[in-house]
Amino acid sequence: MPDTFHSYRPADGHRLPHDPFNAIIGPRPIGWISSCAADGALNLAPYSFFNAFNYTPPIIGFSSQGRKDSLHNIEATGEFVWNLATFDLAEAMNESCRAVAPEVDEFSLAGLTPLASTQVRPPRVAQSPVSMECRCTQIVRLRDAAGQDTNGWLVLGEVVAVHIDARLLVDGIYDTAAADPILRGGGPADYFRVSAEQRFRMFRPA
């Protein structure tokens, strides 16, 4: 059988126009993280390496490639909020990822409204239909297989409060598609949406 695979060792380079790693591990939910500095300065930034890691207690986390403002703020305060990025908020989410000085308020930059949280100091995005308030449980500097530190930090937090737009609850069940979330794909600009037409159901075997 002829070799039809493009194979490579990441350490040697992928030999492609764009690194396929992000596109293969995707689409991924977006970690739209609000935080605040010790002096109260607000920060809002999206992270494409984000997911849930534990059920009870609920723990979510994101990876920061480099020591960015969100990481500094969470180290200082121990708190953050995740906000659902939807199709209607895509442009605002994208605006909030601008590389700006720490004192710049990305809420204002993106035309968004901070909404007071109930359990933590950082505010929620008022326009987002779902938010999770978190207290940081761990910050882990990632290492490679040789034990060397990388430029990535995994930030994990226990969810201490959840806010869901009631319109997304159908007979008490959260309707993922109705929220119209956006997910990060690969390449420099690819995103995806979730729609009801793409949904299928499959139950675990007994």
Side-chain angles (χ1 to χ4, degrees):
M1 177 182 294
D3 185 358
T4 58
F5 289 91
H6 175 80
S7 301
Y8 64 93
R9 288 170 17 102
D12 299 331
H14 47 74
R15 308 187 310 279
L16 296 169
H18 194 277
D19 190 340
F21 178 75
N22 291 4
I24 296 168
I25 310 298
R28 302 178 306 283
I30 296 169
W32 203 12
I33 305 298
S34 50
S35 63
C36 59
D39 64 3
L42 300 183
N43 181 265
L44 179 65
Y47 291 85
S48 68
F49 290 163
F50 165 84
N51 221 308
F53 292 91
N54 198 57
Y55 212 171
T56 306
I59 292 175
I60 62 176
F62 69 96
S63 177
S64 175
Q65 303 299 291
R67 294 188 55 80
K68 299 179 180 177
D69 294 339
S70 302
L71 177 61
H72 287 294
N73 290 348
I74 296 167
E75 285 178 330
T77 68
E79 298 177 333
F80 64 93
V81 178
W82 169 77
N83 306 276
L84 180 66
T86 65
F87 183 72
D88 287 344
L89 293 171
E91 293 295 337
M93 180 278 299
N94 195 44
E95 190 67 26
S96 72
C97 77
R98 283 186 182 273
V100 294
E103 63 271 15
V104 174
D105 179 354
E106 286 88 355
F107 280 88
S108 296
L109 186 68
L112 297 166
T113 305
L115 178 63
S117 296
T118 61
Q119 303 297 315
V120 299
R121 188 178 178 191
R124 299 143 53 191
V125 173
Q127 291 86 345
S128 176
V130 183
S131 296
M132 296 184 181
E133 303 178 23
C134 300
R135 291 199 178 100
C136 182
T137 59
Q138 292 171 271
I139 297 177
V140 181
R141 186 166 188 179
L142 301 177
R143 295 178 177 174
D144 63 19
Q148 299 299 308
D149 288 339
T150 72
N151 197 35
W153 280 262
L154 176 62
V155 180
L156 298 170
E158 179 179 345
V159 178
V160 295
V162 179
H163 308 277
I164 305 170
D165 187 322
R167 291 172 294 183
L168 300 179
L169 298 173
V170 180
D171 296 327
I173 298 175
Y174 178 75
D175 189 337
T176 302
D180 201 9
I182 55 173
L183 303 99
R184 189 67 169 94
D190 286 357
Y191 288 83
F192 292 86
R193 299 170 73 176
V194 174
S195 69
E197 292 74 25
Q198 296 170 315
R199 174 167 44 204
F200 68 96
R201 289 188 167 92
M202 181 166 54
F203 295 95
R204 292 183 181 183

